[in-house]
Amino acid sequence: MKLSKKKKNKQTVFCFNVQHVLPKIFPRKPRDFSLPNSSWGKEMMELYNHYNRLTADQSVYLCCVSSGGAYLSKIIQSKARLFTRNIRDPGAAFEYVLFFRQDKLKCVCIFQAGHLLEGPPGHVHGGAIATMIDTVTGTHASLLSAPVMTANLNVNYRSPIPLGSTVLIESILDKEDGRKMYISCRVTSTDGSKLHTEATGNCPQPGESSEGPSHL
Ligand SMILES: CCCCCCCCCCCC(=O)SCCNC(=O)CCNC(=O)[C@H](O)C(C)(C)COP(=O)(O)OP(=O)(O)OC[C@H]1O[C@@H](n2cnc3c(N)ncnc32)[C@H](O)[C@@H]1OP(=O)(O)O
């Protein structure tokens, strides 16, 4: 499946809109959560450098929503903030960067799971894993079309993720059917040898009459 030129342009504009227009509306420059910080381990840094290098040829875009998640809500002034970006202590919770690979209709997210995400002792909570999957599939579908809502998410947990480790979350567009985007997602060790979690999701663009992500 290929994106039309129009869609590609729309997509690019959408990316830059969020990153460049919103700072003009809100006076304070957002913290860019997608930039490396002192909590990032060697693996996270190496992967970041690897994917960041790929952005140079324009086929991979650093996903703007990783930066300044605060802007995603109209009610920012009443303290709303993107869930995955709401713990400011670097490395404590969700450390991640998303890269959108335009040519393969694929997203890659590097995720380092901090100590506040503990579920089973020493391992990441299943809800935190589902949160990250939802973030990746939702962002991926939104970048391919327009803002979406997750209607359905099926998650299969195959092996636990050690707390503090870095994993890859890769999502692929399986099918586009009208307003619906079917996305599948895999969470693996960084070398791809170990499968941690698999998921599929349906993320439709909300219909005219439904309540949608109007803030976007
Ligand atoms: C850069 C970006 C930044 C984005 C940065 C943000 C990243 C984070 C992303 C997080 C994403 C979320 O967590 S979103 C939050 C969690 N999700 C929600 O709260 C959604 C709540 N549900 C809804 O609002 C609504 O049900 C919608 C919008 C999903 C659908 O309502 P609708 O628009 O009225 O449309 P409706 O006709 O009912 O459904 C549309 C089509 O989807 C199908 N469908 C509907 N529900 C389901 C379902 N559960 N499972 C399977 N299929 C379903 C219908 O059969 C229909 O197919 P057909 O008849 O057309 O064939």
Side-chain angles (χ1 to χ4, degrees), residues 104-124:
K104 290 190 177 170
L105 301 177
K106 182 177 163 185
C107 254
V108 180
C109 174
I110 315 162
F111 169 42
Q112 180 182 288
H115 60 275
L116 296 183
L117 304 184
E118 188 174 47
H123 293 89
V124 183

Side-chain angles (χ1 to χ4, degrees), residues 14 65 72 134 139 142 149-152 179-180 202 206-207 210:
F14 180 65
V65 289
L72 290 175
D134 191 25
T139 302
S142 295
M149 294 286 271
T150 306
N152 171 267
R179 287 191 284 131
K180 292 176 291 184
N202 170 15
S210 74

